[in-house]
């Protein structure tokens, strides 16, 4: 199979915000973005109005009114933002969000994680969990995700089927582990593990021939759970297929000790993957908290990528990754929800928390608390930076930077329409609509409005979500109300939310 | 004025969850809570059903069917929880939520805070900001708040009026500061400051004679902004009126240095308040991050209280308060949103973040990272503990533990009705209702369901809120839908959400 073409071309009007470069947001006001029937952006026209676009742009693109559907975002409360990229998520752990108690990584795996993952061999349960996981991810604006499934082939295939059916761009990995896991949840042998992985690759090829929307990803769980044979086998599969790889690195100090014991001949954790042929530009490494200078240099040299998972790192008391340090080494970094080490399916929450934990690094008592005032300021991540990590950074980590992450001609229309509150001038006591606490008063700068969204936004601010041009999520609302409110509040001159 | 009586007695049926003791949640299943026309709980009847209650309980209370209104919470997704207590919030900074960039306390005050507070001397603006602040706080389940207003008497009086009209239990403080603030935002003299404070006390007495719902609170901003004369004057007012006091302590290392310079004769920050007669059992101290052993001992001895503000402490890179250490000294601790040093109006967010930052304390690289494994485990706060801080702990901090914080006979009905998601057995791709990501599958233990709410709940899980028996917030929903859904999913045998 391949993705079917869309019925119509599409034009989206309004304010578009994206992060083309680390630390900068670009605001495109009064802009039209044109998307063709393959879901590709074919024009980005700033400073226009609907009339102008219809006349000039349609002529240029040879589009007709009848063949084009129009989505209007001419409202002060609306803006389009690129879909979020979740570079590290265990779909199979979705039912455990928020459930971790006082555990840390290794006891958390045994207490909560392995039993839940094992139970998804029961397919109706897997369907219920995976369907809900994907729906929530889409509802939180995540258009692309790198998922871990479980060791079970059928359940992994089901996850891939559901991503394809529900329209989420995804890498789906069948988990390989022949060590560490309990008897009831472990691959029998390296050979069996590789064969099972092959089976999921073939299945995904059968539903999405060119891996256009859904791709397999090779998934050695993490070094302590993998024999040398599994890792070597996966490296061979990678050399043959050029598929991406995902795994964990240096999340927890006890885990690092365990890796030292299990692989005494390797110089360090990063060297384990390197010597097994799994550290290369297609490798996504989750966490990377306690890396040594030498490990980070090796990762940079191999062009491997890092999934920063701040919510998980705080929840499991793992530590704080030094993102600025990684970025300065030239390593590409994205954000991961790490469900359910992380407690939230939201990459906006991950972005918010990435900013907060970068503050923790340099606080009095923090790992970098003794740096100079200037160095401390620099180590902190800005709103613009965490939004870059959430979108274009994530696209780079997944090797998809040519396809997604920004609103640029040639990229796919993977986008979310964000809606924030706008406080009336004469506010009544009981005025309350469900936008969370993203209250805009009207005097804020565009940057401040974005900051309000980042710090108080949630799934209720995500009105619509598209992947490859397809509408894949829409908030359930009283349609008549949403339209009434829109027209009552719309500025027909075409001023977007984030206009000055 | 005084609070008018309610028209009817009320009975609430369902599952009630509360934290009577630190670290424990009590689950009252199939329970009836009866509330009289003064808003007081007069009966808590577990293990009952509606029929039994009508027959036995009404007879005992001498209530009749006609004089009693009934709220049913017989649904697997519903439970009642005590209203949250926000022990530290600057209502006047509400418009700046999420806006703090890379600043820390002292430059944040000058860049964002003083200009915003000063601008609220314009009353229509103050009305818009305060109305929205109170509405959002109620919508997030905060039934009681200790608010800072501004130095402006009229705007402070307006905040008190709005709290009373909108039905939120509140302490409202006119901010006293004759130092540090910019020329445009500072009291002229200590005498003027005290007189202005007196004016707000008289105003609040005129709207709520016995301070039943809204009370004044003496509010020396913080030591660096107050002359000795202001603090001594406020201490005299307190001795005369027995009103509570709120201020800040030991939030930021530069602030602490400044206090040393400004008060060279005082032993330490806590001693500044103590020598000015402001450290006593009616004092709420916000932050308390960098206290010395000696300061904490003094605070404990004086029975002063602490408002823990984790969101603010992370946002402004202030540090991590050692809550376990404070609790073990016998100090009563509550949670504060600290809007807008804190980015969220939600005490649920504060509770969640209080748990996460307690992990940060003991992480590798954290302030207490070198403790033994047992000591580190102990320093972490549990879900049960942060929910205690959010409710009964806050009640203790505000001196209201006899009135609010738990569901017990004699206390006021200050409560929220919480609603979480319940994933259907046969989930459809597009099933999505706006409960955030609080998805309950049905196999979770009661504790795990609460954990899911704490880590993914937001204002959309707050269906109704009552203060002193009065319904003060209700989520705008299609009423017919909510009722349809309820009856379609209700278990008529009376099983609440959190039943095993």
């Amino acid at each position: 199979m391949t993705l079917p073409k869309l019925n119509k071309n599409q034009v989206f009007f309004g304010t578009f915000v994206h992060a083309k470069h680390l630390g900068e947001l670009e605001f495109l006001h009064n802009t039209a973005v044109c998307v063709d029937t393959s879901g590709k952006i074919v024009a980005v026209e700033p400073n226009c109005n609907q009339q102008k676009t219809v006349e000039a742009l349609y002529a240029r693109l040879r589009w007709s009114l009848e063949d084009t559907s129009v989505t209007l975002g001419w409202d002060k409360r609306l803006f389009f933002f690129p879909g979020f990229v979740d570079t590290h998520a265990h779909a199979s752990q979705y039912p455990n969000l928020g459930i971790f108690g006082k555990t840390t990584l290794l006891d958390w795996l045994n207490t909560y994680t392995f039993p839940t993952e094992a139970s998804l061999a029961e397919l109706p349960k897997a369907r219920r969990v995976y369907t809900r996981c994907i729906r929530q991810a889409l509802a939180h604006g995540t258009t692309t995700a790198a998922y871990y499934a479980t060791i079970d082939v059928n359940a992994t295939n089901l996850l891939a089927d559901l991503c394809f059916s529900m329209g989420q761009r995804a890498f789906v990995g069948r988990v390989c582990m022949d060590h560490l896991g309990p008897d009831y949840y472990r691959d029998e042998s390296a050979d069996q593990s590789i064969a099972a992985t092959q089976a999921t690759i073939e299945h995904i090829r059968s539903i999405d021939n060119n891996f256009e929307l859904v791709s397999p990803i090779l998934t050695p769980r993490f070094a302590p759970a993998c024999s040398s044979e599994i890792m070597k086998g996966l490296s061979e599969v990678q050399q043959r297929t050029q598929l991406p790889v995902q795994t964990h690195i240096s999340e927890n100090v006890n885990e690092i000790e365990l890796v030292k014991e299990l692989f005494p001949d390797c110089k360090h954790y990063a060297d384990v993957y390197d010597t097994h042929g799994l550290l290369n530009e297609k490798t996504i490494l989750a966490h990377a908290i306690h890396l040594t200078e030498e490990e980070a240099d090796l990762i940079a040299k191999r062009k491997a990528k890092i999934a920063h998972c701040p919510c998980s790192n705080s929840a499991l008391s793992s530590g704080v990754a030094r993102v600025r340090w990684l970025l300065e080494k030239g390593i590409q970094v994205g954000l991961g929800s790490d469900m359910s080490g992380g407690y939230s399916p939201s990459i906006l929450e991950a972005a918010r928390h990435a900013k907060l934990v970068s503050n923790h690094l340099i606080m009095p008592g923090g790992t970098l608390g003794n740096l100079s005032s200037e160095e401390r300021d620099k180590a902190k991540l800005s709103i613009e930076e965490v939004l870059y990590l959430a979108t274009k950074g994530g696209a780079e980590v997944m090797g998809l930077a040519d396809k997604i992450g920004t609103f640029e001609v040639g990229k796919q229309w993977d986008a979310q329409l964000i809606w924030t509150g706008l406080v009336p001038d004469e506010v009544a006591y009981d005025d309350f609509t469900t936008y969370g606490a993203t209250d805009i008063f009207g005097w804020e700068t565009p940057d401040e409005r974005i900051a309000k969204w980042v710090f108080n936004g949630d799934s209720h601010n995500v009105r619509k979500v598209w992947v490859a041009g397809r509408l894949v999520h829409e908030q359930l609302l009283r349609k008549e109300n949403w339209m009434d409110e829109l027209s009552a509040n719309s500025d027909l001159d075409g001023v977007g939310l984030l206009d000055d």
Side-chain angles (χ1 to χ4, degrees), chain A:
Chain A
M1 285 207 292
T2 53
L3 272 185
K5 290 264 178 194
L6 296 162
N7 292 329
K8 286 194 169 195
N9 298 311
Q10 295 177 88
V11 187
F12 301 90
F13 288 104
T15 293
F16 297 75
V17 186
H18 61 169
K20 278 158 74 176
H21 308 287
L22 183 71
E24 281 174 43
L25 289 178
E26 185 177 42
F27 293 81
L28 299 167
H29 298 297
N30 300 321
T31 292
V33 170
C34 302
V35 175
D36 71 12
T37 55
S38 72
K40 201 170 66 184
I41 298 172
V42 292
V44 176
E45 200 77 2
N47 305 314
C48 70
N49 60 37
Q50 202 175 333
Q51 191 61 29
K52 173 182 156 197
T53 305
V54 169
E55 287 170 8
L57 212 51
Y58 281 32
R60 201 176 87 205
L61 296 168
R62 303 192 184 177
W63 285 8
S64 67
L65 275 173
E66 310 81 65
D67 296 336
T68 306
S69 84
V70 173
T71 299
L72 293 177
W74 294 145
D75 184 278
K76 285 178 187 295
R77 290 165 296 177
L78 296 172
F79 63 96
F80 294 95
F81 200 79
F84 289 133
V85 181
D86 188 345
T87 61
H88 183 72
H90 296 261
S92 49
Q93 297 170 15
Y94 176 74
N96 290 350
L97 286 189
I99 301 176
F100 52 90
K102 289 189 173 184
T103 56
T104 55
L105 179 63
L106 300 179
D107 53 329
W108 168 81
L109 282 170
N110 286 310
T111 310
Y112 300 110
T113 307
F114 292 145
T116 297
E117 289 191 21
S119 75
L120 298 196
E122 191 193 309
L123 287 183
K125 183 171 179 182
R127 175 178 293 276
R128 193 164 168 233
V129 165
Y130 288 148
T131 303
R132 200 63 193 159
C133 174
I134 297 166
R135 175 54 50 207
Q136 287 279 6
L138 290 172
H140 285 81
T142 299
T143 50
T144 300
Y147 284 130
Y148 285 59
T150 66
I151 67 172
D152 189 84
V153 170
N154 292 330
T156 302
N157 292 346
L158 177 61
L159 174 59
D161 292 348
L162 289 167
C163 288
F164 193 82
S165 306
M166 296 172 74
Q168 189 176 40
R169 199 181 292 283
F171 291 178
V172 174
R174 184 250 170 216
V175 177
C176 298
M177 50 189 284
D178 58 353
H179 266 209
L180 187 83
D183 290 344
Y184 65 83
Y185 189 59
R186 200 163 58 198
D187 289 332
E188 286 159 30
S189 66
D191 285 348
Q192 179 262 326
S193 188
I194 303 299
T197 298
Q198 279 294 152
T200 63
I201 296 171
E202 291 319 311
H203 177 79
I204 296 174
R205 203 186 301 280
S206 77
I207 58 169
D208 190 0
N209 194 33
N210 301 316
F211 304 150
E212 218 179 329
L213 196 70
V214 180
S215 165
I217 182 166
L218 304 172
T219 306
R221 185 173 200 117
F222 67 151
C226 295
S227 65
S228 277
E229 291 67 37
I230 273 197
M231 288 192 277
K232 283 182 196 155
L234 288 170
S235 172
E236 285 165 23
V237 176
Q238 198 200 17
Q239 285 167 41
R240 199 172 60 243
T241 58
Q242 296 302 308
L243 286 172
V245 176
Q246 62 185 351
T247 191
H248 301 76
I249 197 168
S250 199
E251 176 177 0
N252 171 288
V253 289
N254 294 331
E255 170 213 16
I256 296 168
E257 285 306 306
L258 187 57
V259 171
K260 271 191 197 152
E261 283 168 33
L262 291 169
F263 299 92
D265 297 338
C266 293
K267 274 193 286 187
H268 41 60
Y269 203 152
D271 190 46
V272 175
Y273 296 129
D274 196 45
T275 53
H276 290 88
L278 287 171
L279 196 70
N280 55 58
E281 63 180 357
K282 296 210 164 206
T283 307
I284 305 173
L285 300 164
H287 301 287
I289 299 171
H290 307 286
L291 294 178
T292 62
E293 199 80 33
E294 193 182 334
E295 285 180 291
D297 288 339
L298 177 64
I299 289 167
K301 193 171 161 194
R302 296 285 185 259
K303 297 187 170 18
K305 324 296 185 190
I306 286 174
H308 176 42
C309 305
C311 296
S312 171
N313 297 346
S314 292
L316 298 183
S317 310
S318 302
V320 184
R322 291 151 290 165
V323 174
R324 177 75 61 209
W325 174 70
L326 296 170
L327 291 170
E328 289 194 338
K329 289 196 177 284
I331 300 172
Q332 291 178 325
V333 180
L335 295 179
S337 67
D338 192 26
M339 298 186 256
S340 68
Y343 48 83
S344 168
S346 165
I347 288 298
L348 193 66
E349 173 79 20
R352 176 161 59 224
H353 205 64
K355 173 153 174 57
L356 294 176
V357 300
S358 78
N359 291 359
H360 274 265
L361 262 186
I362 57 79
M363 278 180 185
T367 311
L368 307 179
N370 293 327
L371 294 182
S372 72
S373 166
E374 292 70 31
E375 287 172 312
R376 278 187 282 132
D377 259 11
K378 192 178 160 196
K380 292 187 193 182
L381 298 174
S382 68
I383 298 258
E384 293 78 8
E385 287 172 328
V386 294
L387 288 176
Y388 177 90
L389 299 183
T391 51
K392 190 170 175 196
E396 286 171 345
V397 165
M398 294 187 61
L400 297 172
D402 58 331
K403 283 181 96 170
I404 59 168
T406 57
F407 299 122
E408 289 176 282
V409 170
K411 292 202 179 181
Q412 293 282 296
W413 176 249
D414 282 26
Q416 45 184 329
L417 179 59
I418 302 296
W419 165 283
T420 67
L422 184 65
V423 180
D425 284 341
E426 301 278 334
V427 60
Y429 291 166
D430 59 353
D431 272 346
F432 189 72
T433 31
T434 51
Y435 313 125
T438 57
D439 274 339
I440 305 297
F441 283 85
W443 56 66
E444 298 86 351
T445 65
D447 285 338
E448 289 175 346
R449 292 176 188 206
I450 292 291
K452 286 191 164 193
W453 168 57
V454 168
F455 273 96
N456 279 297
D458 58 35
S459 62
H460 307 90
N461 301 97
V462 181
R463 303 312 284 232
K464 296 188 181 202
V465 182
W466 296 263
V467 174
R470 284 152 190 83
L471 185 67
V472 292
H473 183 74
E474 186 168 10
Q475 228 184 85
L476 286 182
L477 282 177
R478 272 209 286 185
K479 187 124 188 183
E480 63 274 29
N481 260 16
W482 141 267
M483 295 309 292
D484 285 354
E485 281 192 53
L486 245 183
S487 48
N489 287 285
S490 281
D491 183 330
L492 295 175
D493 295 335
V495 182
L497 165 71
L498 295 159
D499 286 334
D500 286 296

